[in-house]
Structure formats: structure tokens, C-alpha cells
Amino acid sequence: MKAVITVIGHDQIGIVAKVSQRLATLKVNITDISQTLMHGDFTMMLMGEWDTDDVKFDVVKQGLLDLAKETGLSINIQRQELFDAIQKL
């Protein structure tokens, strides 16, 4: 499965490391990543990919929601197939 993950919040040390570590723990491979700072706020968008036979989407989503609570960041995940369907309209 492929999914788009966004991370937004006040800049702090280790955001990329924390998100990457959580995704690695969940067996999600980061296939593309972009990040920037906007007026002191951190924004990141990444594409993750994993085998749904090993880890279900809801497990990855919950793992990221838990990380969001721990860090005070806004972390969202959406299936890539949603974006693919929109492009077909």
C-alpha cells in the first residue's frame, strides 16, 4: 500500500527522526519526502509504502496518531488510491 503522510507543527529538534523511526517500527518505507520551514512552523509531506499483509492501514494510522499526541504535531495519513481516484475525475 502507498499513503501520503503530512506532518505540521512548531519546529522542534528531531521531528524527521521521530517520524522516520515510528514508520520504520511500523515497517513503512519512505519512498519520497519533502520538508520546509514556514515562519517557524515545520511542514513535511512524504510518501510511505508497505505490505498490507504485514501491517494494516489502521495500525499505521494509529501509530502516527499516537506519535502526534506525544509530540504535539498534526500528523495525517491518506491512502494514495484516493489521490489516484481524484485524478481520474
Side-chain angles (χ1 to χ4, degrees):
M1 167 170 283
K2 291 182 181 180
V4 176
I5 300 165
T6 58
V7 181
I8 301 169
H10 293 295
D11 190 28
Q12 56 186 273
I13 295 171
I15 295 175
V16 175
K18 290 172 188 172
V19 173
S20 298
Q21 180 60 47
R22 184 62 55 99
L23 291 173
T25 300
L26 294 165
K27 299 181 180 180
V28 176
N29 184 42
I30 297 171
T31 57
D32 199 0
I33 187 169
S34 174
Q35 69 178 52
T36 191
L37 286 175
M38 297 175 60
H39 303 287
D41 289 325
F42 177 86
T43 62
M44 177 170 67
M45 181 182 290
L46 64 87
M47 175 71 68
E49 188 172 6
W50 68 95
D51 185 347
T52 53
D53 290 338
D54 293 333
V55 183
K56 301 298 181 203
F57 178 83
D58 289 338
V59 172
V60 175
K61 183 175 182 176
Q62 188 59 54
L64 292 172
L65 289 174
D66 292 344
L67 180 61
K69 288 178 187 175
E70 294 166 19
T71 59
L73 298 166
S74 172
I75 303 176
N76 294 294
I77 181 170
Q78 295 182 332
R79 291 175 173 91
Q80 175 63 36
E81 60 198 33
L82 173 66
F83 296 98
D84 293 342
I86 291 171
Q87 288 181 349
K88 292 179 182 178
L89 295 177

